[in-house]
Amino acid sequence: MKITDRQKAVLKKIHDFIIINSYPPTARDVAEMMGFSSPKAATDHFTSLEKKGYIRKNSLARSIKLTDKAFGILKQGYSYFSFPAAAGHAALSYLPLIGNIAAGNPALAYENIDEYIPVPESFTGAYGADFALRVKGNSMIGDHILNGDMIMVKARSTAENGEIVVALINDEAVVKRFYKTENGIELVSSNPDYPPIRINIKDAGDSVKIIGRVVAVHRNI
Amino acid sequence: MKITDRQKAVLKKIHDFIIINSYPPTARDVAEMMGFSSPKAATDHFTSLEKKGYIRKNSLARSIKLTDKAFGILKQGYSYFSFPAAAGHAALSYLPLIGNIAAGNPALAYENIDEYIPVPESFTGAYGADFALRVKGNSMIGDHILNGDMIMVKARSTAENGEIVVALINDEAVVKRFYKTENGIELVSSNPDYPPIRINIKDAGDSVKIIGRVVAVHRNI
DNA sequence: AATATAACTATACATTTGTATAGCATATAG
DNA sequence: CTATATGCTATACAAATGTATAGTTATATT
């Protein structure tokens, strides 16, 4: 279903409020801006806008975020080429770019976070991503993942057959294809120079751990 | 009066929260992040930070703003490009995602723009990008650019030897490696199934046109 | 030595805010 | 023509949130 003119007007007011104040409006703020006498009118619009994918929110105060789709609507007619983002709250996930994954875990311990990278949701697929890593080495070149590429990872402790995963082997993060075997698991490179790593699950103990599935690859040329 | 280490830690937590959530934290959010058992500990810090000019706030929920002074403090230790965008300071560009490049041009006509994609500057390298395209076919698989990948392109009408470019051949956009030859140019695929396209520049007329250089590749898995 | 600032704990209260209930009128889709 | 979505008013309540009171300990500062 398409966005209505009224919903678009509300969306624009939300956007403008964020631009001006640096924080999102409440239902009552929107009601006042739109001239509604009840916050319910605003929250009804929020529900519609969220259903149509233009905003996201939770039940906390001032938690509305605009999505990529919203910015697409709001910026129409702007320019042929790219334009800078104004102050706003695009639905970006800020993924922590993990440096060294330290022994002892958790893998996402605060100390390991070098920086945060703003990543548009459309870049991480349906399930999103939880963190990013920079690839070291060319062991996955057969899957077109190269040294220096940035990968985005959905955190998970298990994997399906054939998925490309990030695993922790003796506290070192590696990218490999995951396969189940009779006795355990196999982590396979897509570069013939690197032999597959076979792990008998009984022997492995805590030395091998799946930490997530690769959902996106990004490379600067 | 100078900012204390503890105040700086609180400031960083506020910053990180905004980065991650796109909306500012409450006193209780900060208390939890810092390990305080009372929101008063957090509001005391707010008062100090505001007095010293690092934040501004009002009495509404989630209304903390970071000042430029705060960003000055927080940026220390971050590289120019990797510094994460915050609300109001997003280092993002909205790239038009070009759908079908229509006959008759211009290649970036407004009608061809399907949507805008927010792309962090760190994703497009030092020179940025002007538009994005989705790759059709596997002619560049040898360069690890696959069917369905999204490429980001810096608009240019010329290219250097060996660069990966987007060219318009008879109104169809193709991705190829660019080489100069004696008589004209050569557009080379990195897939042996596709022969190189040699163009004698005198014959070509307007049928071949370089429209830009590929600066980044993105793939969802 | 006295005083102010910093850095908190623990509890309480008032306001802000999300959200629900109940209803009405109009437009749109099947 | 009927059902559904849209677009509101009016009121109320519970949860989230800002902020105050009262106190403790440590560290500067004068």
Side-chain angles (χ1 to χ4, degrees), chain A residues 79 81 89 94 115 118 144 219, chain B residues 19 22 82 108 116 144 219:
Chain A
S79 162
F81 281 163
H89 293 254
Y94 283 80
E115 56 181 297
H144 308 285
R219 175 161 65 243
Chain B
I19 295 289
S22 301
S82 69
L108 300 176
Y116 288 91
H144 308 286
R219 177 161 62 245

Side-chain angles (χ1 to χ4, degrees), chain A residues 9 33 55 127 211:
Chain A
M33 286 188 283
I55 65 168
Y127 301 105
I211 61 174

Side-chain angles (χ1 to χ4, degrees), chain A residues 41-122:
Chain A
T43 58
D44 280 356
H45 276 292
F46 293 170
T47 305
S48 302
L49 286 169
E50 185 159 34
K51 198 166 65 185
K52 292 179 181 181
Y54 293 98
I55 65 168
R56 283 199 303 133
K57 66 187 294 299
N58 57 36
S59 67
L60 299 175
R62 299 181 187 277
S63 66
I64 293 175
K65 299 181 201 188
L66 300 180
T67 65
D68 296 353
K69 202 175 172 185
F71 278 84
I73 287 270
L74 292 166
K75 301 292 182 181
Q76 265 171 26
Y78 207 100
S79 162
Y80 287 177
F81 281 163
S82 65
F83 51 86
H89 293 254
L92 302 166
S93 349
Y94 283 80
L95 300 187
L97 177 61
I98 310 294
N100 292 312
I101 298 190
N105 290 295
L108 298 177
Y110 185 70
E111 295 79 2
N112 299 324
I113 297 171
D114 286 353
E115 56 181 297
Y116 289 93
I117 301 172
V119 178
E121 288 177 353
S122 55

Side-chain angles (χ1 to χ4, degrees), chain B:
Chain B
M1 237 164 306
K2 262 198 81 175
I3 191 170
T4 67
D5 284 350
R6 205 75 184 129
Q7 288 165 359
K8 203 162 157 181
V10 170
L11 191 66
K12 174 134 179 59
K13 289 290 185 190
I14 295 169
H15 171 263
D16 289 351
F17 188 100
I18 296 172
I19 295 289
I20 291 167
N21 297 293
S22 301
Y23 48 82
T26 63
R28 283 168 182 84
D29 290 331
V30 172
E32 194 188 348
M33 288 188 283
M34 292 296 297
F36 304 152
S37 62
S38 166
K40 185 60 160 51
T43 57
D44 280 357
H45 276 293
F46 295 169
T47 305
S48 302
L49 285 169
E50 186 159 34
K51 199 167 61 184
K52 293 179 181 182
Y54 293 99
I55 66 170
R56 282 197 300 134
K57 68 186 293 299
N58 56 36
S59 67
L60 299 174
R62 297 182 186 278
S63 66
I64 293 176
K65 299 181 201 187
L66 299 180
T67 64
D68 290 347
K69 196 175 174 185
F71 279 86
I73 288 271
L74 292 165
K75 256 182 191 166
Q76 281 164 22
Y78 283 97
S79 74
Y80 177 78
F81 278 113
S82 69
F83 184 69
H89 292 73
L92 297 171
S93 294
Y94 285 84
L95 300 188
L97 177 61
I98 310 294
N100 291 314
I101 296 192
N105 294 296
L108 300 176
Y110 181 69
E111 300 81 88
N112 298 323
I113 298 172
D114 287 353
E115 55 181 304
Y116 288 91
I117 302 172
V119 179
E121 284 175 2
S122 58
F123 274 34
T124 53
Y127 301 105
D130 296 304
F131 59 92
L133 276 178
R134 208 160 281 284
V135 173
K136 289 169 194 157
N138 277 315
S139 75
M140 291 302 280
I141 198 166
D143 286 302
H144 308 286
I145 298 174
L146 311 185
N147 185 38
D149 285 3
M150 196 178 72
I151 54 174
M152 283 150 255
V153 184
K154 178 73 183 173
R156 285 218 310 224
S157 56
T158 57
E160 299 297 314
N161 241 356
E163 281 182 351
I164 299 175
V165 300
V166 175
L168 219 53
I169 303 180
N170 300 319
D171 298 324
E172 191 195 5
V174 295
V175 185
K176 294 284 176 278
R177 235 175 233 284
F178 174 92
Y179 293 100
K180 286 172 187 160
T181 62
E182 277 181 33
N183 305 318
I185 62 170
E186 201 174 33
L187 297 173
V188 183
S189 297
S190 60
N191 181 334
D193 297 346
Y194 297 79
I197 300 166
R198 292 194 181 82
I199 297 134
N200 187 314
I201 211 70
K202 289 144 209 148
D203 305 343
D206 286 339
S207 67
V208 175
K209 195 191 269 177
I210 305 297
I211 60 173
R213 188 171 76 85
V214 177
V215 296
V217 183
H218 184 88
R219 177 161 62 245
N220 281 16
I221 296 181

